[in-house]
């Protein structure tokens, strides 16, 4: 039986090629994902670990306990703390660390790095005693308010040399310090494409609003003192001041875990799509082996007649699958390693710089690729092999075994209807739930419905393909034959169409959700913001107090307000207050009031419905709050509004809040809303941008810009998902080609007869192409239909947390998807159609 299986593999090399390609693509995706994520994780871990080489124990500020109405406050790390830490037994040295956001612009004024990757800090070295963390490669250490040092990568990318004026910002106003030095660093943030700007300690403390204080104190152990021993000594000396301490080893381990966790999400997402590609590949493999077994029915029957048992026949088919899977797995692993290396290069090319490191091909990656490839292939081939072994030998040799009985079809349709109904019920039930509680039931229901529809596909194929009959009649006898061939073997048609259906279901569903969310964001921005512009930092940090002052003085500004966040104590809970200009806020924000009036003045506040419900407040309710400075005040709820992503929480007059702000939050705005005469025009936007010094760290956005910025996240994600799902569609195309090619092979005699009675080669080609087109459109219609349903259902969950959400059907894109399904059908038929047309009619008639 082993020799027989081996002979059959070599005898059907061409017919198994598409199956090998389908499995290979899935395996390549899996192994490529593992290689890519393992390589990035390893590089980031090694890079981040280097950053802790100079740290044996790190001290960070703790918080005083929040008791009663008192708000917990952060303990400051001062020079006294630094001196005390450096003098404990076992400490060799202590370094004060100041850090914050520092946006560096290149020579063209564009931001180097992006978002949170642009960092600033302090160079703690002195003359004759350099900072060991940052060895200077050129120039000297910064000294004074007008000097800065840059890491070598940033200096090179931005085009700066020692002595140049560096254009930068830390919280709003543009700074132009002189570049005095260029340093090297093992900082993982810089290695990953970020930037690091260093000032002397006093300047850094002033710029980052921490005068006389440090964000962290790094302590180096003396020779013979372990990290744990040093930590113990520091805890004894500083524990009473609520200072947190961690060893360098623990920090490195925590960083590694954090990297592993962040990479886990990416790895899971990529593996999900690899699984989808493999799931689609199962249909192709099952189809291939079903047709191969059907073509060898007499051969298998003869084996049974000469003594082979049912198990031996099944095992021979599984052995063939094993050989095919092994070849595909090994090839897929090799291709996957190339994909992993290519994805790393691609990410570097898009600006997402990854630290240098070797390509990581772990034993688990190799084992996973081989197991997945072989297991998937054997699993898909098991049912056709088992079915072939059940055919009685005499019946098979006499070719009286026939198509599935009515009983088996009724059983299949009944099972499909039950599974589909269960899926629909689960999905509909999930739409009535709120938040994350509905995600699991919806995922389960979606899976059941897809499986149920797949089971029902043979039943659905007849009426849906029959609907295409009027169009096919236009192609004469070729069109009629194509329709009949499409429904001749509904199981085969179902398996072929289902592969395409799954890919289009996901693509359509994601497109519906993305379009609807974008519409909700646009509506939210339009309904909530009356301001022409919103000014904010690119990284989401607080703006300098100078920004609001500059905006207020800008020509054409008719109204403005800052939005300042401050923690307060309400009962036993910490609640953040948002300070706004009570006189102008109604000109800048449009709140949908559930009750009361939109009045923010003195002790009158407005609060969103969710917060009001949590505290049991309603219009007219009064409560006592404790501000940051510990002082109390009685506030009254003037109105309750419908909160959203743009505006939420407790709004209080800045004139009431600002006197109670502490040093850390005093007069710092997260955003500034601006109204200008003439509205949102390009001229007004340029006027504001120039007034703020054309600062790359500051965003001046109108409502559409805000919507587009949020939409970019969805667009980027959607494009990435389209790319990943393209793998499943490619596998589906291979399935169509494979099915048609093998169908042509088993219908050689029939095609020969058609040629003999007068159908020319063009007619044969047209027949095969139309058959492929019909099957592909059938899968496309099912996929788009399911995708719309799933998009609607997921939207019901999203709508629970986004009041402006409403279903938007992207008719244009759905039309494109259906057209793409048609193109897939036409392209997939090119080779099989050409092969069918080239058959010698006499040889085909004589074939068995």
């Amino acid at each position: 039986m082993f020799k027989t299986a081996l002979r059959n593999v070599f005898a059907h090399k061409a017919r198994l090629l598409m199956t090998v390609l389908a499995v290979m693509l899935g395996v390549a995706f899996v192994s490529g994902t593992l290689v890519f994520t393992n390589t990035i994780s390893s590089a980031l871990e090694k890079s981040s670990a280097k950053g802790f080489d100079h740290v044996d124990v790190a001290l960070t500020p703790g918080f005083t306990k929040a008791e009663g109405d008192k708000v917990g406050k952060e303990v400051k790390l001062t020079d006294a703390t630094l001196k005390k830490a450096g003098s404990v037994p076992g400490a060799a040295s202590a370094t004060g660390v100041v850090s914050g956001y520092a946006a560096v612009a290149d020579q063209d004024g564009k931001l180097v790095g992006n978002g949170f990757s642009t960092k600033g800090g302090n160079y703690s070295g002195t003359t004759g005693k350099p900072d060991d963390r940052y060895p200077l490669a050129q120039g000297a250490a910064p000294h004074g308010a007008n000097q800065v040092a840059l890491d070598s990568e940033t200096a090179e990318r931005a085009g700066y040399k020692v002595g140049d004026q560096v254009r930068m910002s830390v919280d709003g106003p543009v700074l132009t310090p002189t570049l005095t030095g260029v340093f090297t660093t093992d900082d993982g943030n810089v290695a990953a494409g970020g930037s690091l700007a260093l000032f002397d300690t006093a300047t850094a403390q002033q710029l980052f609003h921490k005068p006389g204080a440090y964000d962290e104190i790094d302590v180096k152990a003396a020779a013979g003192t372990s990290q744990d021993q040093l930590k113990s000594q520091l805890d004894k000396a500083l524990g009473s001041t609520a200072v947190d301490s961690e060893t360098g080893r623990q920090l490195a381990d925590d960083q590694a875990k954090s990297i592993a966790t962040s990479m886990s999400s990416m790895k899971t997402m990529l593996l999900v799509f690899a699984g989808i590609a493999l799931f689609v590949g199962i249909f192709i493999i099952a189809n291939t082996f079903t047709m191969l077994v059907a073509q060898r029915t007499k051969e298998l029957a003869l084996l049974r007649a000469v003594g082979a048992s049912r198990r031996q026949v099944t095992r021979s088919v599984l052995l063939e699958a094993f050989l095919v899977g092994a070849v595909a797995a090994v090839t897929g692993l090799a291709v996957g390693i190339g994909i992993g290396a290519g994805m790393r290069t691609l990410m570097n090319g898009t600006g997402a710089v990854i630290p240098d490191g070797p390509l990581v091909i772990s034993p688990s990656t190799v084992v996973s690729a081989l197991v997945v490839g072989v297991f998937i292939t054997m699993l898909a081939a098991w049912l056709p092999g088992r079915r072939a072994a059940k055919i009685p030998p005499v019946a098979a040799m006499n070719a009286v075994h026939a198509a599935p009985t009515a009983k088996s079809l009724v059983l299949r349709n009944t099972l499909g209807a039950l599974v589909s109904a269960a899926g629909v019920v689960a999905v509909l039930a999930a739409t009535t739930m709120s938040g994350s509680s509905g995600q699991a039931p919806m995922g389960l229901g979606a899976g059941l419905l897809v499986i149920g529809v797949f089971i029902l596909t043979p039943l659905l194929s007849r009426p849906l393909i029959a609907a295409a009959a009027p169009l096919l009649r236009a192609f004469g006898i070729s069109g009629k034959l194509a329709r009949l061939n499409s429904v001749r073997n509904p199981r085969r048609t179902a398996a072929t169409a289902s592969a395409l259906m799954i890919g289009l279901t996901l693509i359509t569903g994601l497109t519906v959700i993305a379009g609807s969310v974008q519409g909700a964001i646009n509506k939210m921005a339009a309904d909530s913001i009356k301001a022409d512009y919103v000014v904010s930092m690119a990284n989401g940090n607080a703006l300098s107090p100078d920004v609001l002052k500059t905006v207020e003085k800008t020509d054409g500004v008719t109204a403005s307000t800052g939005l300042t966040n401050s923690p307060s104590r309400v009962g036993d809970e910490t609640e953040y207050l948002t300070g706004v200009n009570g006189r102008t806020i109604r000109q800048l924000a449009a709140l949908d009031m559930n009750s009361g009036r939109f009045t923010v003045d003195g002790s009158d506040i407005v609060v969103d419905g969710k917060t009001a419900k949590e505290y049991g407040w309603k219009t007219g309710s009064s409560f006592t709050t404790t501000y940051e400075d510990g002082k109390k005040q009685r506030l009254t709820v003037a109105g309750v509004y419908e909160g959203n992503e743009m505006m939420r929480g407790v709004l209080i007059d800045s004139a009431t809040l600002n006197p109670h702000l502490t040093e850390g939050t005093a007069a710092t705005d997260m955003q500034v809303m601006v109204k200008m005469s003439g509205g949102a025009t390009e001229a007004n936007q340029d006027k504001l941008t120039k007034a703020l010094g054309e600062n790359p760290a500051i965003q001046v956005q109108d409502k559409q810009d805000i919507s587009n910025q949020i939409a970019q996240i969805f667009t980027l994600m959607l494009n990435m998902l389209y790319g990943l799902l393209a793998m499943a569609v490619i596998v589906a195309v291979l399935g169509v080609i494979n099915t048609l090619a093998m169908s042509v092979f088993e219908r050689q005699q029939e095609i020969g007869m058609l040629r003999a009675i007068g159908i020319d080669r063009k007619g044969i080609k047209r027949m095969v192409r139309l058959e492929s087109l019909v099957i592909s459109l059938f899968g496309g219609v099912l996929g788009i239909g399911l995708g719309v349903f799933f998009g609607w259902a997921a939207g019901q969950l999203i709508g629970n947390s986004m009041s402006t959400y409403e279903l938007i059907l992207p008719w244009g894109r759905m039309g494109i998807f259906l057209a793409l399904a048609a193109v897939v059908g036409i392209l997939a038929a090119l080779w099989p159609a050409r092969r069918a047309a080239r058959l010698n009619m006499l040889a085909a008639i004589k074939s068995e």
Side-chain angles (χ1 to χ4, degrees):
M1 295 303 293
F2 175 78
K3 289 181 179 179
T4 302
L6 196 62
R7 183 187 63 78
N8 282 323
V9 169
F10 286 109
H12 302 122
K13 295 189 294 291
R15 279 177 268 172
L16 289 171
L17 177 61
M18 296 299 170
T19 303
V20 170
L21 286 174
V23 180
M24 183 202 74
L25 283 173
V27 172
F29 208 161
V30 171
S31 55
T33 295
L34 295 175
V35 169
F36 173 63
T37 52
N38 288 342
T39 297
I40 294 180
S41 296
S42 175
L44 289 175
E45 285 175 18
K46 289 178 180 177
S47 178
S48 64
K50 288 180 181 177
F52 298 110
D53 287 348
H54 301 287
V55 182
D56 285 316
V57 177
L59 304 175
T60 53
F63 283 84
T64 58
K65 189 176 180 181
E67 297 178 351
D69 289 336
K70 294 182 179 180
V71 180
K73 294 183 180 179
E74 187 179 65
V75 174
K76 289 186 178 181
L77 301 179
T78 63
D79 285 321
T81 315
L82 178 65
K83 185 176 180 181
K84 194 172 184 179
S87 63
V88 301
S93 62
T95 303
V97 178
V98 183
S99 61
Y101 173 66
V104 178
D106 60 19
Q107 298 283 16
D108 297 325
K110 295 181 180 178
L111 186 66
V112 178
N114 49 37
F116 295 95
S117 65
T118 51
K119 301 287 187 181
N122 67 312
Y123 186 90
S124 64
T126 57
T127 304
K129 188 182 178 183
D131 191 334
D132 293 338
R133 299 173 299 166
Y134 309 113
L136 287 167
Q138 301 173 35
H143 181 71
N146 293 316
Q147 294 187 1
V148 68
L150 294 177
D151 68 89
S152 56
E153 295 287 337
T154 300
E156 184 179 349
R157 279 185 291 159
Y160 288 123
K161 296 178 181 178
V162 173
D164 289 348
Q165 298 291 115
V166 178
R167 188 176 180 82
M168 62 183 304
S169 171
V170 296
D171 61 0
V174 175
L175 306 174
T176 55
T178 301
L179 180 64
T180 62
V182 176
F183 59 89
T184 59
T185 177
D186 292 326
D187 189 307
N189 182 69
V190 173
S195 64
L196 182 59
L198 299 180
F199 308 88
D200 66 25
T201 298
T203 302
Q205 289 174 329
Q206 190 66 37
L207 288 173
F208 301 133
H209 306 290
K210 297 155 188 166
Y214 300 98
D215 293 284
E216 184 178 308
I217 293 176
D218 294 338
V219 187
K220 190 74 176 172
T225 303
S226 70
Q227 291 187 354
D228 291 331
Q229 288 172 336
L230 179 59
K231 181 180 184 301
S232 178
Q233 292 292 342
L234 288 166
D235 288 342
K236 287 179 183 178
L238 304 170
S240 60
T241 58
V243 174
D244 297 327
S245 64
E246 280 192 280
T247 64
R249 182 178 58 255
Q250 183 61 47
L251 289 170
D253 291 344
D254 291 344
Q255 184 75 3
K257 288 179 183 176
S258 175
I259 291 170
T261 301
S262 62
M263 291 304 300
S264 175
S265 300
M266 178 186 291
K267 183 185 291 186
T268 300
M269 184 185 70
L270 292 172
L271 287 175
V272 164
F273 287 97
I276 292 169
L278 286 169
F279 184 60
V280 172
I282 287 175
F283 297 129
I284 300 173
I285 301 164
N287 238 5
T288 301
F289 278 93
T290 298
M291 296 172 74
L292 283 174
V293 167
Q295 291 168 12
R296 289 159 43 205
T297 300
K298 289 187 177 181
E299 175 189 322
L300 294 175
L302 185 59
L303 288 173
R304 290 286 314 282
V306 297
S309 66
R310 287 185 177 183
R311 288 186 179 180
Q312 284 180 308
V313 171
T314 303
R315 281 201 296 264
S316 71
V317 175
L318 290 177
L319 183 57
E320 292 178 44
F322 172 81
L323 295 172
V324 170
V327 171
V330 172
T331 310
L333 175 61
V335 174
I337 292 171
I339 289 175
M343 288 177 72
R344 175 176 171 170
T345 303
L346 180 64
M347 286 194 70
N348 283 332
T350 59
V353 182
I354 300 170
D356 292 332
L359 200 65
V360 178
I361 306 169
S362 64
S364 61
T365 299
V366 177
V367 172
S368 298
L370 296 176
V371 169
V372 166
V374 173
F375 175 75
I376 289 293
T377 309
M378 293 183 69
L379 176 67
W382 174 75
L383 189 59
R386 185 170 175 271
R387 188 183 299 133
K390 283 187 173 182
I391 299 173
V394 175
M397 284 190 285
N398 285 293
V400 295
H401 67 291
T405 62
K407 180 180 178 181
S408 70
L409 290 174
V410 169
L411 181 63
R412 174 170 180 152
N413 294 337
T414 303
L415 178 63
L418 292 174
V419 173
S420 298
V424 170
V425 169
V427 169
L428 294 178
T431 61
T432 63
M433 302 177 184
S434 59
S436 59
S437 60
Q439 292 177 3
M442 182 163 293
L444 175 64
L448 288 174
L449 183 54
V450 169
I451 293 171
V453 170
F454 167 66
I455 297 173
L456 284 174
T457 307
L459 177 66
L460 298 173
S461 64
R462 291 185 178 276
L464 288 177
I465 291 176
L471 295 175
L472 293 174
R473 286 197 195 102
F475 297 95
I477 191 65
S478 295
K480 183 177 180 180
L481 289 172
R483 181 178 63 82
L484 294 174
N485 288 333
S486 300
V487 296
R488 176 189 295 182
N489 191 329
R491 293 192 182 205
R492 184 189 302 164
T493 297
T496 306
S498 295
L500 195 58
M501 176 193 78
I502 292 172
L504 286 178
T505 295
L506 293 168
I507 290 174
T508 304
L510 290 170
T511 303
V512 169
I513 294 169
S516 300
V517 168
Q518 178 60 58
I521 292 169
N522 289 340
K523 190 173 188 300
M524 190 184 298
D527 292 349
S528 303
I529 301 175
K530 293 167 70 175
D532 295 320
Y533 298 103
V534 175
V535 180
S536 62
M537 291 293 287
N539 70 330
N541 279 3
L543 292 159
S544 164
D546 296 333
V547 171
L548 179 59
K549 294 175 184 177
T550 301
V551 167
E552 289 174 338
K553 295 176 183 177
T554 302
D555 182 40
V557 172
T558 58
S560 63
T561 181
L563 276 72
T564 307
N565 290 337
S566 172
S568 70
R569 197 77 178 167
V570 178
D572 295 329
E573 302 293 331
T574 297
E575 183 62 43
Y576 276 84
L577 307 176
T578 301
V580 298
N581 187 326
R583 299 187 313 276
T584 62
I585 187 63
R586 284 189 296 275
Q587 302 174 53
L588 300 164
L591 300 184
D592 184 8
M593 302 301 296
N594 294 335
S595 63
R597 63 190 189 282
F598 186 5
T599 300
V600 181
D601 184 25
S603 61
D604 286 344
I605 63 165
V606 292
V607 59
D608 70 278
K610 184 178 180 181
T611 304
K613 185 177 180 180
E614 288 177 0
Y615 289 99
W617 297 335
K618 56 184 179 180
T619 298
S621 296
S622 294
F623 63 92
T624 300
T625 188
T626 303
Y627 295 110
E628 281 187 86
D629 61 357
K631 295 182 180 179
K632 299 181 180 180
Q633 183 175 1
R634 194 81 177 164
L635 300 177
T636 302
V637 178
V640 177
Y641 66 91
E642 187 69 36
N644 55 48
E645 299 298 320
M646 302 292 177
M647 193 74 70
R648 66 173 73 180
V650 178
L651 303 186
I652 185 172
D653 194 352
S654 296
T656 303
L657 179 65
N658 285 352
H660 302 288
L661 299 179
T662 62
E663 192 175 309
T665 56
T668 56
D669 299 311
M670 299 308 295
Q671 293 179 336
V672 172
M673 302 175 74
V674 187
K675 189 84 171 173
M676 299 187 74
S677 58
T681 64
E682 189 174 340
N684 277 340
Q685 191 168 19
D686 287 343
K687 189 183 296 183
L688 267 180
T689 301
K690 288 178 180 177
L692 294 168
E694 296 182 320
N695 193 323
I698 294 181
Q699 300 178 126
V700 179
Q701 299 173 300
D702 60 19
K703 285 183 279 191
Q704 191 58 51
D705 292 333
I706 294 171
S707 295
N708 292 342
Q709 184 179 35
I710 300 173
Q712 280 179 357
I713 301 171
F714 292 99
T715 302
L716 180 63
M717 186 182 301
L718 193 63
N719 289 338
M720 184 169 63
L721 294 179
Y722 280 165
L724 295 172
L725 287 171
M727 181 70 74
V729 175
I730 290 171
V731 174
V733 171
L734 292 175
V736 177
I737 296 172
N738 205 27
T739 300
L740 288 173
M742 298 186 74
S743 177
V744 167
F745 177 82
E746 73 177 17
R747 283 157 43 195
Q748 287 186 80
Q749 193 175 60
E750 174 189 320
I751 292 171
M753 289 295 296
L754 290 173
R755 289 289 316 282
I757 61 176
I759 298 182
D760 59 11
R761 290 186 175 183
K762 287 185 179 179
I764 295 295
K765 282 184 180 180
R766 191 181 302 117
M767 177 188 73
V768 176
R769 287 172 185 163
L770 290 173
E771 181 182 346
S772 175
L773 180 63
V774 167
I775 292 173
S776 297
L777 286 176
F778 170 52
V781 169
L782 285 181
I784 292 172
L786 282 174
V788 169
F789 177 70
F790 290 143
W792 167 82
Q796 296 302 300
L797 280 182
I798 296 171
N800 292 331
S801 58
M802 188 177 285
S803 59
T804 55
Y805 184 91
E806 59 183 27
L807 181 68
I808 297 176
L809 294 180
W811 294 106
R813 288 204 177 189
M814 289 193 295
I816 291 173
F817 296 155
L818 194 60
L820 286 175
V823 171
V824 164
I826 293 170
L827 293 177
L830 291 178
W831 178 59
R834 185 168 176 269
R835 182 181 176 188
R838 294 180 65 183
L839 286 174
N840 183 289
M841 70 176 75
L842 295 179
I845 292 171
K846 290 167 62 178
S847 66
E848 292 188 9

